[in-house]
Amino acid sequence: MARVVVEGLTKRFGRVVAVQDFNLEVAEGELVSLLGPSGCGKTTVLRCIAGFERPDAGRILVDDRVLNDVPPERRGIGMVFQTYALFPHMTVAENIAFSLMIRGRPREEQERVVKEMVALVHLEGMEDRYPHQLSGGQRQRVALARALAMRPKVLLLDEPLSALDAKIREELRGEIRRIQKALGITTLYVTHDQEEALALSDRVVVMNMGRIEQIGTPFEIYNAPRTPFVATFVGTMNLLQGRMESDGVFRWKERTLRIRPDAVVRAGQVAYLALRPERLKVSPTPEGAPPDHNVLPGRVEWVTFLGPIGRLSVRSDGETLLVDMPSDEALRFPVGSSVWVHFHPETAQVVPQERS
Ligand code: ATP
């Protein structure tokens, strides 16, 4: 098991600053995701750690050893890419054994490792197939087995599931987590899929334009976003721009809303009130709201059927609020009807307008 430290990493491509002052510590056996939109620098961070890119500034350390000048093949790092990158003319067994083969390891060792890896990724009976005889999910299992065959200290996964369809993606993400835990291998996982990052990770690093927006557990990232970007990128969020009036009181337009006291935003500061659609309730009458709730009058703009949940879009004071509920309940609200949206003060999160 290994500890990975990235210190002050900056990487430029000409005038483009792909990554700026990136700092991260990944504990032994931890799985950390880098999450962010296309072009935010996730892959560049991974490639710097793997040794495929040279940082312009900063250091990469594994177990306190600086790796900046160590070539990729000597870093003890395994990597899996979005596209399978398997050797098409080699069988599953040969693909998995490849790294051992080029290092001249004895045939018995190669056979033993292949057997172990095939069992680990559940590909028993497929050892003699060629990549074109496998499904996309199976090919990614081979790619994972191949990356793990050399027993790397660190595993880097760059969008390994994004080329697969939804069902297989979900299945394989569970498999990756199982294998990662079983081996206790320190892992960095790049994805632009927020659900994947929340489901898989011990911690998530949310990135935007080459910089870190927030690092936290999936629960913290979802429930306590610290920037407007994190609030809106991860899940669906209603953001109401207003001002902190005093501790525990938020001013939105002409309304005074009671919220959870928050140390991050001071009185007088412009901020956003972040409200998850599933935390909002809707009643056809104002009396339907419990007395300790904040209440906002509105009108139903439209209703969206999303299977298990229904999403109401409610226009209130010139803003649209999205409210989620079981779909049979949502379908009972006619479009155009007057409603009262309400929420408990504890469910509202204040997010500073500026990066804190
Ligand atoms: P994606 O999810 O689309 O892969 P990403 O978050 O992984 O995106 P990077 O691939 O790290 O982002 O790219 C970050 C920025 O650096 C982008 O603006 C990209 O165009 C630029 N970039 C990356 N590699 C190079 C390169 N070899 N030459 C020039 N610019 C590059």
Side-chain angles (χ1 to χ4, degrees):
M1 288 216 270
R3 183 167 151 268
V4 178
V5 176
V6 182
E7 273 179 9
L9 174 65
T10 295
K11 176 69 190 172
R12 295 182 205 92
F13 295 104
R15 284 158 170 250
V16 177
V17 183
V19 177
Q20 187 161 22
D21 193 25
F22 183 100
N23 292 282
L24 177 68
E25 280 193 39
V26 188
E28 290 188 351
E30 194 180 21
L31 190 156
V32 172
S33 291
L34 306 183
L35 172 68
S38 183
C40 74
K42 310 178 292 289
T43 295
T44 302
V45 171
L46 224 58
R47 290 176 59 81
C48 286
I49 296 173
F52 302 136
E53 298 289 354
R54 220 186 149 70
D56 289 307
R59 301 198 305 169
I60 312 287
L61 299 95
V62 172
D63 285 340
D64 300 324
R65 177 172 170 234
V66 180
L67 293 187
N68 289 46
D69 295 322
V70 177
E73 68 279 7
R74 309 240 328 257
R75 291 191 178 199
I77 290 176
M79 191 150 176
V80 177
F81 303 92
Q82 177 183 344
T83 43
Y84 323 112
L86 298 177
F87 303 112
H89 56 287
M90 290 187 188
T91 63
V92 166
E94 287 164 352
N95 265 285
I96 295 173
F98 181 74
S99 56
L100 298 159
M101 206 173 69
I102 55 169
R103 282 172 175 81
R105 294 287 176 79
R107 179 158 281 282
E108 307 78 69
E109 183 187 342
Q110 290 181 30
E111 282 169 7
R112 181 173 48 75
V113 172
V114 167
K115 208 165 165 218
E116 236 175 83
M117 290 299 135
V118 162
L120 185 69
V121 300
H122 295 328
L123 281 176
E124 291 95 341
M126 306 211 176
E127 294 84 342
D128 298 327
R129 291 206 195 172
Y130 287 88
H132 74 269
Q133 298 170 313
L134 301 172
S135 70
Q138 289 164 342
R139 283 183 224 169
Q140 271 314 51
R141 286 172 191 264
V142 179
L144 187 61
R146 190 178 61 177
L148 292 170
M150 274 306 294
R151 305 222 171 282
K153 289 181 168 184
V154 177
L155 180 63
L156 305 179
L157 302 164
D158 190 357
E159 308 243 12
L161 307 181
S162 60
L164 306 173
D165 65 44
K167 204 111 196 111
I168 303 290
R169 217 159 52 213
E170 203 175 319
E171 182 190 315
L172 215 50
R173 113 184 151 203
E175 285 285 287
I176 287 176
R177 187 57 162 159
R178 174 185 65 77
I179 292 166
Q180 186 268 334
K181 281 226 171 189
L183 300 179
I185 188 165
T186 309
T187 302
L188 270 143
Y189 189 103
V190 160
T191 181
H192 63 267
D193 178 338
Q194 34 113 359
E195 187 187 308
E196 200 166 284
L198 296 180
L200 261 181
S201 320
D202 294 307
R203 286 186 302 150
V204 179
V205 179
V206 183
M207 292 183 68
N208 181 27
M209 298 195 295
R211 309 221 303 176
I212 294 178
E213 290 270 334
Q214 187 170 350
I215 303 178
T217 63
F219 189 87
E220 286 164 352
I221 294 291
Y222 190 78
N223 289 299
R226 288 206 304 262
T227 69
F229 178 83
V230 176
T232 48
F233 187 75
V234 181
T236 305
M237 187 73 99
N238 297 294
L239 277 189
L240 304 180
Q241 194 181 34
R243 189 180 293 277
M244 280 298 278
E245 198 155 281
S246 59
D247 204 19
V249 181
F250 189 84
R251 185 95 180 156
W252 178 55
K253 303 197 172 174
E254 299 308 310
R255 297 178 188 280
T256 303
L257 305 172
R258 279 162 297 122
I259 57 163
R260 181 171 56 198
D262 190 286
V264 180
V265 184
R266 289 185 312 279
Q269 245 182 304
V270 175
Y272 292 98
L273 196 61
L275 298 161
R276 289 279 178 211
E278 70 270 24
R279 299 293 202 150
L280 296 177
K281 309 277 177 237
V282 178
S283 300
T285 60
E287 294 75 34
D292 57 346
H293 277 206
N294 294 292
V295 183
L296 302 169
R299 193 171 290 281
V300 177
E301 270 184 320
W302 71 78
V303 183
T304 313
F305 177 70
L306 298 168
I309 63 159
R311 176 164 290 171
L312 241 57
S313 167
V314 177
R315 198 82 184 152
S316 176
D317 266 350
E319 302 257 354
T320 295
L321 294 171
L322 301 177
V323 187
D324 288 353
M325 63 194 77
S327 45
D328 52 339
E329 280 176 39
L331 294 170
R332 273 188 234 133
F333 288 95
V335 170
S337 61
S338 289
V339 289
W340 276 262
V341 175
H342 54 95
F343 61 93
H344 191 275
E346 281 295 319
T347 61
Q349 168 81 26
V350 189
V351 178
Q353 187 170 31
E354 304 296 333
R355 205 188 282 252
S356 52

